[in-house]
Structure formats: structure tokens, C-alpha cells
Amino acid sequence: MKRGIFLSIPLLLAGCGGRHNWLASAGEEAQSVETLFWVVLAGAAVIWTLVIGAATYAHRAEAKPEREQQARRFIIWGGVALPVVVVGGLLIWGLLILKDITADDGALTVRVDGERWWWRVIYDTPEGPVTTANEIRLPLGEPALFRLTADDVIHSFWVPALGGKMDMIPGRETTLALTPQKLGNWGGLCAEFCGGAHALMRFDAIVMEPEAFDAWLAQEAQPAQVAEGDPGFAIFDEEGCGACHAIRGTEAQGPVGPDFTHLASRDKLGAGIYAMSPDNMARWITDTHEMKPDIDMPAYPGLQGERLDALVTFLMSLE
């Protein structure tokens, strides 16, 4: 029994590693939550020790009438006053953290809409909105305000290394502030069960130097570069893909699925699940529901050979 417990410890600790590690904060808000966690954990350890010590003492001590008054004082101060002060203090501290992470302003505003089962991402800029999907890039050290909504059911937006989670509720907008403090690619996910492909609803949160971020956002705002007469785009149009997907600079203006304008510049395919590669793209088109069950996109198993190759080549050119 003891051996099994010790063998399970590495498995438990493994959950605290990687880019989803909320105990290795890479953001200002995550650091606040982490600090509160360690304080609560330390306090719980102290209280547990005191309770067990008091129980052991009471079990072994000889009962005497004169100790009744001491017991009453112990109950009043240790069982009533101390918990009220400690819990009240932690509640106030937690509410102050909540106030900070639900701020309603920031140097950058990002609107995120949770859909089945992917993320629509819109950057509000002075020149107008810039739309992308399933990937969020942020400038280092600058506060970002997230305005969160949901298209169908309740989702929960969470980048563990950068900050706390926030529910995304249909018909309502919630806000979340994140201030990245470390460069890197931090994993994001939906933290509330939302249906069949919930576990496959992820995204990358990439923290960049401010200059690199500005250059990326300027590039992201540009229309796609599609060669006139591109055979892959012709197939894209013939198969009706433009009814669901938008490619800025072309006649494809579909509002249903992810924006494809700079599709191939993203690191992942399928909402943070697969590497962006020609092979995965081809499988995504022909075996869609094998790669991600229950999603709305239909599979195109009839697309094979040169037509599939041309479509994949076109999609992988959208950088």
C-alpha cells in the first residue's frame, strides 16, 4: 500500500509541469493567484497541525473541573474568533485579486468568442478589427483586456501560466486582464465541459517582444496574397468552403468557421491539437471527424489525388 502511494507521487507532480503549469506563473495575475494559493496551503498546514495537536492533547489529558473555563476560552478564540479573522482576511484578499483580473481596461483589447469547439479571436486596433482563430499572441509586459463571449454553450477561458480562468457565457460579456511577464508559448484551454470535443478545445498563447508583436499584428491585418487563377483557390471555391470560412482579399467571406486569411502562419491546426503541416491538413479535410469528433465541419472524403494536393498547397500558402 505504502509503495503504491510513493509510486503515485511522480504521476501527481507530473501534472504540475509543462506549459499549462499554473504553479510556475508567467503573468502578473497568475503570480497573484499562485501567492494566494501558497499562503492558503501554508495556513491550512498550520491549522491542521494545531487541530491534530489539540485533539491529541485532549485525548490524553486528564479531565479536571478547573479546565472547563480554559476549554471555553479555547473554543471561543481558537474555534470562532481565529477562523473568522483568517477566512475574512483571505476573502478580502481574494476579492482584491478578482477585482484586478476582471479589470475593464488595458493597453490591448482582444475579443474571444468560444464556439464548438474552437476560438474566434479579434484584436481591436485603431485601424479596425483584426480577426484570427485558435491562437493568441500578446506583447510582453503590456496589460491585455480580454472581452469574452460564447456562441452556443458556456465555455471557460484559461491560460494557467498567465492568469485565472473566466467563464464565457452566451448573451453576456465577461472580462479578464492578463499581463504576461515571460516570453514563451503558453497553453490555453477550455476549463468547463462544453460538449463532445471539449478536451480538444485548446489554443496557444504566445508571448512576444512588443516590437515583434506589433510587426505580427500589422502582418495579420493585411489581406491574403492569393495568386490569380490559383487552382487550389478554385477548388476551395467549388467545394463551397467560402460559405463558412473567410479569406480577406477574396470573395470568400464565410462567417461560420475560423478565418483562413493567415491560416498557415499558425502553429497548430484543429484548435491547438495538431501541428500545422500538409499531411495533417489533408487528413483534416478528408477525415475530419476522425481527427476531432462532433465538430460542425463536414468531411470531404471524395477529395483525393491532385485536387486534394492543390487545395492543401493553397491552404498552406496562406501565411
Side-chain angles (χ1 to χ4, degrees):
M1 180 67 178
K2 292 182 178 179
R3 182 181 179 185
I5 294 175
F6 284 115
L7 290 176
S8 67
I9 291 176
L11 295 177
L12 294 173
L13 294 178
C16 298
R19 65 197 192 109
H20 294 91
N21 184 5
W22 64 276
L23 291 178
S25 55
E28 185 177 306
E29 292 75 19
Q31 181 62 61
S32 298
V33 175
E34 184 182 345
T35 300
L36 178 60
F37 166 77
W38 288 118
V39 170
V40 171
L41 182 64
V46 171
I47 292 173
W48 183 86
T49 302
L50 292 175
V51 170
I52 296 301
T56 302
Y57 172 78
H59 176 70
R60 295 182 177 180
E62 182 181 353
K64 294 182 179 180
E66 62 269 18
R67 289 179 178 168
E68 183 176 346
Q69 190 65 28
Q70 297 177 0
R72 289 179 178 175
R73 285 197 296 267
F74 180 80
I75 291 172
I76 292 173
W77 291 104
V80 179
L82 180 61
V84 167
V85 172
V86 172
V87 174
L90 290 175
L91 176 61
I92 293 172
W93 189 0
L95 290 175
L96 291 175
I97 292 176
L98 181 63
K99 180 175 180 291
D100 291 337
I101 67 176
T102 56
D104 58 0
D105 60 358
L108 174 70
T109 298
V110 185
R111 288 181 282 141
V112 182
D113 186 23
E115 314 229 2
R116 289 192 319 178
W117 282 269
W118 59 282
W119 312 85
R120 190 186 303 274
V121 182
I122 303 173
Y123 291 84
D124 287 337
T125 72
E127 293 75 27
V130 177
T131 302
T132 182
N134 300 322
E135 182 180 275
I136 295 172
R137 296 183 182 242
L138 299 171
L140 179 69
E142 296 184 11
L145 170 66
F146 286 85
R147 296 191 177 277
L148 308 173
T149 57
D151 183 65
D152 35 53
V153 299
I154 295 177
H155 301 280
S156 186
F157 181 89
W158 192 24
V159 187
L162 298 183
K165 65 185 73 172
M166 182 60 64
D167 280 352
M168 310 168 80
I169 304 170
R172 177 179 172 184
E173 182 181 86
T174 53
T175 59
L176 177 70
L178 296 178
T179 308
Q181 299 293 342
K182 293 181 182 179
L183 298 173
N185 186 330
W186 310 104
L189 46 84
C190 179
E192 182 162 345
F193 181 72
C194 54
H198 161 72
L200 303 178
M201 187 176 175
R202 305 178 191 176
F203 62 93
D204 287 343
I206 302 171
V207 180
M208 312 170 69
E209 292 288 359
E211 298 80 7
F213 170 80
D214 291 340
W216 170 83
L217 187 58
Q219 170 61 26
E220 198 72 15
Q222 299 300 313
Q225 300 297 315
V226 179
E228 185 175 350
D230 188 310
F233 179 70
I235 296 169
F236 181 91
D237 186 49
E238 291 168 8
E239 295 293 340
C241 304
C244 291
H245 300 284
I247 301 177
R248 296 193 303 275
T250 74
E251 295 180 355
Q253 298 296 321
V256 179
D259 187 288
F260 276 6
T261 305
H262 298 288
L263 171 67
S265 67
R266 302 166 196 162
D267 290 339
K268 299 288 177 56
L269 175 67
I273 303 303
Y274 300 99
M276 182 67 71
S277 71
D279 288 343
N280 284 337
M281 182 67 74
R283 287 184 57 216
W284 184 263
I285 294 169
T286 59
D287 301 313
T288 311
H289 298 100
E290 292 294 326
M291 297 185 75
K292 192 166 183 178
D294 296 335
I295 65 174
D296 293 334
M297 176 180 166
Y300 291 82
L303 265 177
Q304 298 293 333
E306 293 181 359
R307 284 177 61 82
L308 178 61
D309 292 341
L311 178 57
V312 170
T313 299
F314 164 68
L315 294 174
M316 294 303 297
S317 73
L318 297 175
E319 296 183 345

